[in-house]
Amino acid sequence: MQFDLSVLLPHLDVLRDGAVLTAQACALALVGSVVTGALVAMASTSASKPLRRAADIYVDIFRNVPFIVQMFFFYFGLPVLGLYIDAFTTGVVALSIAGGAFTSNVIRSGILAIDPGVIEAAQVFGLHKRTVFLKIVMPVALRTSIRPLGAVLVNLILTSSILSTITLNELTGSAKIVASDTFRPFEVYFVLLVVYAALTWSVSLAIGALHRRLNRDIVEVVS
């Protein structure tokens, strides 16, 4: 069979819609992952032992259980309890919770890397501990964690391909539809491979540029 990408031209709108759905799900999941991860990181670095223990349990569960199992639990398991969530929302929630487990460790590392002297100096000026944490600690931790958070985003993009197993026609799901309609799986999945590679490469470049921009003042001070 001759390699011919032109057979996909009538189906580009399906692949485009799938790519848009993937982008939307990943963007929302990134926000959800950062918010969840920040809350868990705050709990894991708090003075409360129960909060630290709860954060450790959360991270252990969602880092060590396959994502597809988590997603099936939300999509097929929760309806048994009377909780019905559509496929898109389920995918975003599952990605956010799973991504939050990884993001929490990234943000936690950023928090622990902050010089204690900075926190002590802020408290000397009479700032409340909560204000110091929200206005100084978290912004600095997030800025220094840009690169690892970018790796989490790339992982979310790659993991989002599993959402097709719950009938969500994101990029991979759309590719399956086109492959079954055209009977040209080689061309379809070749394009899918290229699109995912280009997407993750672009995100990596953007994250690298953002990291350099946000930390430019630090580099200038050191030099």
Side-chain angles (χ1 to χ4, degrees):
M1 182 180 294
Q2 186 178 3
F3 181 75
D4 184 11
L5 289 177
S6 64
V7 299
L8 304 182
L9 292 178
H11 304 275
L12 288 181
D13 56 337
V14 176
L15 295 174
R16 180 202 61 208
D17 293 342
V20 170
L21 197 61
T22 293
Q24 292 173 339
C26 290
L28 292 173
L30 176 63
V31 174
S33 296
V34 172
V35 172
T36 302
L39 293 175
V40 175
M42 291 169 61
S44 65
T45 55
S46 71
S48 172
K49 186 175 181 179
L51 280 179
R52 294 200 305 272
R53 182 57 180 164
D56 290 341
I57 292 174
Y58 168 86
V59 172
D60 286 341
I61 290 176
F62 289 100
R63 286 192 64 177
N64 296 302
V65 175
F67 175 72
I68 193 169
V69 175
Q70 300 175 36
M71 188 175 59
F72 281 0
F73 171 77
F74 289 122
Y75 190 68
F76 297 111
L78 291 184
V80 177
L81 303 177
L83 299 175
Y84 297 91
I85 310 177
D86 64 89
F88 181 80
T89 304
T90 298
V92 171
V93 170
L95 284 172
S96 298
I97 293 176
F102 292 91
T103 302
S104 65
N105 280 343
V106 172
I107 298 176
R108 179 176 180 273
S109 298
I111 293 174
L112 296 178
I114 296 176
D115 187 348
V118 175
I119 301 175
E120 293 173 1
Q123 292 176 343
V124 166
F125 282 98
L127 295 178
H128 191 274
K129 288 185 177 180
R130 181 179 299 176
T131 302
V132 172
F133 193 85
L134 295 177
K135 299 295 185 180
I136 298 177
V137 175
M138 284 303 296
V140 174
L142 288 173
R143 186 173 72 169
T144 57
S145 302
I146 288 297
R147 280 193 182 277
L149 288 176
V152 173
L153 173 57
V154 170
N155 186 60
L156 286 176
I157 294 173
L158 299 178
T159 306
S160 68
S161 61
I162 301 177
L163 301 184
S164 61
T165 60
I166 57 172
T167 71
L168 188 65
N169 291 327
E170 39 66 69
L171 188 54
T172 301
S174 298
K176 290 180 180 179
I177 293 174
V178 175
S180 64
D181 288 344
T182 61
F183 299 101
R184 304 295 292 250
F186 184 83
E187 286 87 346
V188 172
Y189 291 115
F190 173 80
V191 170
L192 189 65
L193 184 151
V194 172
V195 170
Y196 272 117
L199 186 58
T200 54
W201 181 69
S202 299
V203 169
S204 297
L205 288 180
I207 291 297
L210 180 61
H211 177 268
R212 290 191 296 272
R213 180 178 180 83
L214 292 178
N215 294 277
R216 182 171 50 192
D217 54 338
I218 297 177
V219 175
E220 290 175 353
V221 170
V222 173
S223 60

